[in-house]
């Protein structure tokens, strides 16, 4: 459900063939994510994690459903598609932040250590992308690209239903004495906390750089290349191969993460992810490209669990939503820049040179991370992150 921008960018490529227009639509969907995620973390801490997650999914369900509804009634021109793209991206960050905020309590309830819980969580998330390309391809072939958006809307509705049925400590509304007063003040506190923690600040800057590089690759560069070859099926298989690697990599980290240094695993994962991407940028034989995509995803499978774990163990529970929101908004701040730079460059120089340049930047970033002393803080002793004393006994409330 969170790949709305990529779906719309691919839709624009198929209908116009304009890489700049596709990059613009992807950037437009990223800007609301940046603004929304910056403040929705505060809303999560103020209103309660579970109820925010449910409300977010219901609003997103309605927003995404506007695409086929408008297509069948008023029609979708480029300007209206931009508006719908922005609207559909506004609500999702709240649900994502709320669910991430509940993960440590869910791990405790399931008697899992945080390494294993985060690895399983990311593998489940990646597994969705194994199903998505195949389902999307079948729907596009049978009912068309516009109507396929019904599937995304239904997915949001199912997510809201499942989250509404979920109960756990810390999922309800915070107790009155623990509630933050005001979005601005609460968001400012989250920004201040993140900036003053050198480990989280470093991880945030790394994420910003990676997002600025990777989102244009996945959202514009690869679609342009495979659209020009009139073979969108091969694009779907590449994304599937990377997702499959990510699922397995996350599961491997879930299995062995507790026994290895987080900092070492993080740096090795970054470099191991970047090297195959550089090789992919040479556009080798398609079978080799699939294998490289799988290997890249395999290493990247450990990056998200370790990043999430750093937030969880270094952030007090009452502030977790804000810090996750700020971390997410920091990453999304770089996304529109990457899209808007990559789109015109592709139109001028072609997808191949731009892909290679971005891949080399990713490699430099990954190797450079090995020399950042602040990342040694990833191995600090876990903080007490599972306190629920600031929450009402309302976890069973609707």
């Amino acid at each position: 459900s969170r790949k709305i921008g990529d779906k719309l960018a691919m839709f624009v490529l198929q209908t116009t063939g304009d890489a700049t227009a596709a990059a613009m639509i992807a950037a437009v969907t990223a800007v609301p994510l940046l603004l929304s995620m910056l403040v929705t973390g505060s809303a999560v801490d103020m209103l309660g994690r579970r109820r925010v997650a449910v409300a977010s999914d219901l609003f997103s369900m309605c927003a995404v459903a506007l695409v086929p509804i408008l297509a069948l009634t008023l029609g979708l021109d480029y300007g209206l598609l931009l508006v719908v793209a922005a609207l559909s991206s506004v609500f999702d960050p709240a649900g994502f932040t709320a669910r991430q905020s509940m993960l440590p309590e869910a791990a405790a309830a399931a008697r899992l250590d945080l390494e294993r819980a985060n690895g399983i969580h990311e593998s489940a998330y990646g597994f969705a992308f194994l199903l998505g390309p195949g389902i999307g391809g079948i729907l596009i072939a049978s009912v068309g690209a516009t109507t396929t958006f019904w599937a995304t809307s239904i997915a949001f509705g199912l997510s809201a239903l499942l989250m509404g049925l979920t109960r756990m400590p810390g999922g309800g509304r915070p107790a009155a004495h623990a509630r933050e007063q005001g979005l601005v003040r609460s968001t400012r506190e989250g920004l201040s906390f993140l900036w003053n923690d050198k480990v989280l600040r470093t991880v945030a800057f790394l994420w910003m750089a990676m997002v600025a590089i990777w989102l244009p690759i996945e959202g514009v560069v690869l679609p342009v290349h495979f659209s020009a070859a009139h073979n969108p099926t091969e694009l779907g298989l590449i994304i599937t191969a990377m997702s499959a690697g990510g699922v397995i990599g996350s599961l491997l980290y879930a299995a062995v993460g507790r026994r290895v240094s987080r900092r070492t695993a993080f740096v090795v994962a970054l470099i191991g992810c970047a090297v195959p991407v550089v090789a992919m940028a040479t556009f080798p034989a398609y079978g080799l490209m699939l294998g490289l995509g799988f290997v890249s995803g395999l290493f990247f499978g450990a990056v998200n669990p370790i990043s999430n774990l750093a937030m969880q163990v270094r952030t007090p529970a009452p502030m977790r939503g804000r810090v996750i929101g700020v971390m997410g908004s920091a990453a999304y701040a770089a996304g529109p820049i990457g899209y808007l730079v990559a789109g015109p460059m592709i139109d001028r120089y072609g997808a191949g040179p731009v892909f290679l340049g971005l891949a080399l930047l990713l490699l430099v970033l990954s190797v450079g991370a090995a020399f950042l002393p602040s990342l040694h803080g990833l191995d600090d002793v876990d903080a007490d992150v599972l306190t629920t004393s600031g929450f009402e006994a309302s976890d069973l409330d609707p």
Side-chain angles (χ1 to χ4, degrees):
S1 296
R2 299 185 64 242
K3 284 293 183 180
I4 299 169
D6 287 354
K7 291 185 179 73
L8 290 170
M10 192 63 185
F11 178 80
V12 170
L13 273 176
Q14 288 178 340
T15 56
T16 70
D18 189 336
T20 300
M24 177 68 74
I25 198 82
V28 165
T29 61
V31 171
L33 285 170
L34 158 64
L35 299 176
S36 179
M37 205 160 192
L38 188 61
V39 298
T40 52
S42 299
V44 169
D45 288 338
M46 294 168 61
L47 303 176
R49 299 162 180 171
R50 182 168 51 82
R51 68 179 64 193
V52 169
V54 172
S56 169
D57 285 340
L58 291 176
F59 280 122
S60 294
M61 177 186 70
C62 297
V64 173
L66 281 176
V67 175
I69 290 173
L70 290 174
L72 293 172
T73 55
L74 301 178
L76 280 176
D77 58 24
Y78 182 67
L80 187 56
L81 193 62
L82 284 175
V83 174
V84 174
L87 181 63
S88 65
S89 300
V90 166
F91 307 110
D92 189 45
F96 173 77
T97 303
R99 286 186 288 270
Q100 284 279 11
S101 299
M102 288 188 283
L103 188 58
E105 285 78 16
R111 299 181 181 179
L112 294 174
D113 58 62
L114 286 177
E115 282 83 1
R116 181 166 297 182
N118 279 283
I120 293 173
H121 176 269
E122 290 302 318
S123 68
Y125 185 82
F127 183 69
F129 291 107
L130 287 174
L131 298 178
I135 295 174
I138 293 171
L139 289 174
I140 289 173
S142 59
V143 299
T146 302
T147 309
T148 299
F149 276 86
W150 283 117
T152 303
S153 180
I154 292 171
F156 275 119
L158 291 174
S159 178
L161 176 62
L162 291 173
M163 184 55 62
L165 297 175
T166 300
R167 303 291 187 271
M168 71 181 69
R173 192 179 186 189
H177 70 276
R179 293 174 202 160
E180 295 295 332
Q181 301 298 319
L183 283 175
V184 174
R185 177 181 175 182
S186 180
T187 302
R188 187 169 60 245
E189 289 178 353
L191 283 165
S192 177
F193 182 89
L194 176 62
W195 182 259
N196 291 324
D197 188 298
K198 64 180 181 180
V199 177
L200 295 182
R201 185 173 68 236
T202 300
V203 172
F205 277 119
L206 284 172
W207 260 119
M208 290 178 68
M210 290 185 68
V211 168
I213 295 169
W214 183 252
L215 283 187
I217 291 175
E218 183 178 328
V220 182
V221 173
L222 289 176
V224 166
H225 172 76
F226 286 104
S227 292
H230 304 290
N231 202 339
T233 301
E234 289 190 352
L235 171 63
L237 291 174
I238 287 286
I239 302 300
T240 299
M242 291 188 289
S243 297
V247 170
I248 296 173
S250 295
L251 288 175
L252 287 174
Y253 184 74
V256 304
R258 192 70 176 177
R259 299 194 292 271
V260 299
S261 161
R262 295 171 188 165
R263 183 255 178 193
T264 299
F266 188 68
V267 171
V268 170
L270 289 177
I271 297 174
C273 170
V275 171
V277 174
V278 174
M280 289 175 65
T282 65
F283 291 110
Y286 184 69
L288 178 57
M289 197 169 182
L290 277 176
L292 291 168
F294 176 83
V295 173
S296 180
L298 185 70
F299 279 96
F300 188 76
V303 174
N304 278 337
I306 298 172
S307 300
N308 294 338
L309 195 151
M311 287 186 284
Q312 293 158 8
V313 302
R314 301 185 69 86
T315 305
M319 293 187 67
R320 197 182 301 144
R322 278 166 284 173
V323 173
I324 291 174
V326 170
M327 286 280 285
S329 65
Y332 279 113
I337 298 174
Y339 277 127
L340 296 177
V341 170
M345 289 182 67
I346 293 169
D347 283 332
R348 182 170 182 177
Y349 300 109
V354 174
F355 191 5
L356 182 59
L358 292 173
L360 289 173
L361 282 176
L362 183 65
L363 180 60
V364 170
L365 169 71
S366 301
V367 173
F371 301 95
L372 296 175
S374 56
L375 289 183
H376 288 281
L378 290 172
D379 291 314
D380 288 349
V381 177
D382 291 359
D384 181 12
V385 297
L386 298 180
T387 177
T388 56
S389 59
F391 295 90
E392 292 179 345
S394 59
D395 297 321
L396 300 180
D397 288 352

